[in-house]
Each structure stands twice: as C-alpha cells, then as structure tokens.
Amino acid sequence: MTSPAGDDRAVLRVEHVSKQFGRPGLLGRAGRVVHAVNDVSFSVGRAEVVAIVGETGSGKSTLGNCVSGLLRPTAGQVWFGSEDVAQDRQGRRSQLRRKIQPVFQDPRGSLDPRWPVERTISEPLDACRIGTPRERREKVASLMERVGLPSFVARRRPDQLSGGQQQRVAIAAALALDPELLVADEPVSALDVSVQAQILNLFESLRADLGLAILFISHDLSVVQHLSDRVLVMYAGRVVESGPVEQVFDHPVHPYTKALLDAIPAADPSDRRVPVPLKGEIAAAGSVGAGCVFAARCPEAVTACTTTVPPETDFAPGHRASCLVAAAARSESASSPTEERLTP
C-alpha cells in the first residue's frame, strides 16, 4: 500500500489510528471491547520531537507500540515515508522496523542480563548481517562514544551498570541500525532526577546531530516542556489537545491539560498556588459513554458535554483542542453561558 499525498517533511504520519482489545460477545453473550486508542492522527517531522502525555491508562504507550510496529492497529494507518507500518507483508515490515526503533522505560527489562554491553549493542548488527566483524566492533565503539559510555564498560553486564548507563546502552542498541525515528516510552521515569537531565540532553544531541525524529511518551510535563517541539495530550484513548509546546503550556485550552499543568510543582518557592486535584480516577478506555471522555471529571463541564462528542477546534496556528465549553467561549455564536454546570 502506498501513502497518499501528504507533508513531504514528515517522517511519520499517523492517520485515524484506533486500537481495540478484547472481543464482542458471541451467541448473545455480552463481550468486552476496550478502545485503548480511539481515532488518533498526528505527524512527526524530521529532527522533530513530538511528545505524548497523559495519565497512566490514557493510551499513550499503546499508541507508541502501534507506531513502532509492536502492535497492529485495529483501524487507521501508520505511514513511515510512503509505506504503512501495519501492512501485512512481513518482510517489508521488518525492513521498516529497522528505521523505527523503541526505547523502553526500564532498560533492565530490555537488556539481556547475560550479555556484556558490546554484545547487546552489536546484536542488531549481527542479526541483520551488517558489515564485517571488524566493522561491527568499530560501530559499537562509535555508538558507545556517541551515547557517553566509557570504553571500559564494554565487557560489563547490565547488573554492573548504573540505571543511567543501562539506558545509554539501550539507546546505543536502538541507534545501531541508523533509524530515522525513535519511539521513547517513559525513557527517564525510572531514573534519578540528575540522571534524567543527562539522558534528556542525550536525546537533544541525537536530534541535533543526527537529525533524528523522536516520539517521546511521558506523564511528566516538566520533562516534555524542555525537550519537545509539539505535544499531544491524551485522555482515555483520545487526543484532547495538541499544538506547539510553548502554546499549549502558556495558553492551555482543555480543562484536562490545565489540570496536568497545575499539578507541576512550582519552581519558585514564593509561588503559593494550591493545585486543585481532579476528582475520581481516569476513565477506563472503552468505558466512556456518549459525549466528552473527560466530562465525568471536568470542573467546567456542562450538560451538553455528556451527550455530544466535542469536535477539534483551532485556537491558534497548530493549536487544537476538543472542548465544547472552550469552543463556545471562543465563538461569537456561543450558547448561553448560564447553562447549568455539572458537578464532577
């Protein structure tokens, strides 16, 4: 399958992707289908960092797995160049996956505890039979230098390394096949704050020096703010707001985005603001009824929010959100502001 016409600058285009788990009922019995990702579209340009943020259960990791080819979408397309990552031809999918590499949250789960660092980094090269043994050794040494690993750790095993060093090994292995896109799923959440900064600086240098595109998945908005160009805010499988990171952080539109930003600890000790916590738990994907997925927890919800799915509305160039209340406030033809508010 060939990609339709689109932005030639985009490395990745995700078009109306949905992912469901479970099965409908058989023989009249009730089934359970979980809509983990529901009709999500976005793109990632060359040397661009696009972040996906949201609470646990929002669907961001499932979306990342669909992009990296670890999961096949139930509907929609994941275009990498002119090819669909989710297409059926296994041989072609394997070639595409070489250009899209994942970096996982806990490197200890992705590194073989029996293998020394040099073998872990070399394994993708060995599996794809790239270069001679000498060329592979040289490539491993170059990759270790690129990610800031000293040469003496080459023969050490994962349990002899710090958490930051383990993640650097995982990143080096992901870079071995010269990918064009990294899908980084919570890559710093298991690390100390000081080490987090080092790994984030590494991602930034990879983007700047290699022109890598990065899909960065995180629940930590403070991390996203310093690394990303654009951000997608997900809730219960849907993108509720997206746009340039400065625009979204400085002028949030959706109540969920506002709540996430309000929860970031203030850097200034004199800032005495008290964040207002959201009531209830995040809605289980697939359990949301008609209307806005956030209506049950939203402090700004009106009656229409429980019955009408909010369309995407443009609030600034590239800045979109799905919120009936915000759209009505922006529109001159908004309905009466005296409509009764719901109590979450």
Side-chain angles (χ1 to χ4, degrees):
M1 182 180 292
T2 303
S3 167
D7 186 353
D8 292 336
R9 296 169 298 176
V11 172
L12 176 79
R13 292 196 307 279
V14 174
E15 298 182 353
H16 304 290
V17 162
S18 296
K19 179 61 182 177
Q20 300 174 2
F21 296 99
R23 296 179 180 179
L26 299 176
L27 302 176
R29 297 180 180 178
R32 175 170 172 77
V33 177
V34 176
H35 300 267
V37 177
N38 199 336
D39 194 22
V40 172
S41 299
F42 66 95
S43 65
V44 183
R46 298 186 184 280
E48 183 181 31
V49 180
V50 174
I52 303 176
V53 301
E55 296 171 276
T56 300
S58 62
K60 57 188 187 296
S61 291
T62 299
L63 179 58
N65 288 336
C66 289
V67 168
S68 61
L70 298 176
L71 288 175
R72 184 172 298 177
T74 305
Q77 291 80 41
V78 179
W79 297 107
F80 185 78
S82 61
E83 300 284 347
D84 186 356
V85 174
Q87 65 183 321
D88 293 331
R89 290 180 293 165
Q90 185 62 43
R92 185 57 187 155
R93 287 172 64 197
S94 297
Q95 295 178 37
L96 286 172
R97 288 178 183 176
R98 289 173 56 175
K99 296 298 182 181
I100 306 174
Q101 289 292 310
V103 178
F104 299 105
Q105 176 179 2
D106 186 356
R108 292 171 297 182
S110 61
L111 303 179
D112 191 315
R114 302 166 299 175
W115 288 2
V117 167
E118 57 186 358
R119 182 176 177 185
T120 295
I121 300 175
S122 180
E123 194 274 337
L125 301 171
D126 298 338
C128 295
R129 300 179 181 179
I130 296 176
T132 64
R134 178 178 179 178
E135 290 171 337
R136 294 174 197 169
R137 289 193 297 270
E138 292 174 349
K139 178 82 169 182
V140 169
S142 175
L143 287 168
M144 290 182 61
E145 182 178 3
R146 159 62 62 187
V147 302
L149 285 170
S151 58
F152 64 81
V153 306
R155 296 187 179 277
R156 292 187 178 179
R157 289 174 170 76
D159 62 355
Q160 298 174 300
L161 306 176
S162 67
Q165 288 175 326
Q166 291 174 354
Q167 193 61 287
R168 291 175 188 272
V169 173
I171 294 172
L175 295 174
L177 298 178
D178 299 318
E180 296 179 31
L181 172 71
L182 290 184
V183 180
D185 189 356
E186 300 275 13
V188 299
S189 63
L191 305 176
D192 293 338
V193 173
S194 61
V195 181
Q196 285 185 10
Q198 297 171 16
I199 298 299
L200 292 175
N201 288 338
L202 173 58
F203 278 116
E204 179 58 38
S205 69
L206 294 176
R207 182 258 288 270
D209 298 343
L210 304 180
L212 266 178
I214 302 174
L215 184 63
F216 193 89
I217 299 169
S218 179
H219 68 278
D220 189 338
L221 271 71
S222 59
V223 167
V224 165
Q225 185 177 17
H226 296 291
L227 179 67
S228 308
D229 300 300
R230 289 188 292 123
V231 59
L232 284 69
V233 181
M234 288 191 71
Y235 184 86
R238 289 185 178 273
V239 173
V240 296
E241 185 164 359
S242 63
V245 68
E246 298 87 355
Q247 180 70 24
V248 172
F249 273 65
D250 294 342
H251 306 284
V253 172
H254 198 281
Y256 182 58
T257 307
K258 294 177 184 178
L260 292 178
L261 291 171
D262 197 38
I264 298 176
D268 185 356
S270 64
D271 188 343
R272 301 299 183 183
R273 60 181 176 146
V274 179
V276 179
L278 291 173
K279 296 182 179 179
E281 300 295 331
I282 185 171
S287 66
V288 179
C292 175
V293 294
F294 189 58
R297 300 177 70 193
C298 182
E300 301 180 25
V302 296
T303 303
C305 298
T306 63
T307 59
T308 304
V309 176
E312 280 192 322
T313 302
D314 292 318
F315 289 87
H319 184 189
R320 313 187 78 187
S322 300
C323 178
L324 293 175
V325 175
R330 182 178 182 275
S331 174
E332 293 181 356
S333 60
S335 59
S336 173
T338 59
E339 185 176 8
E340 181 183 357
R341 287 283 177 89
L342 295 177
T343 301

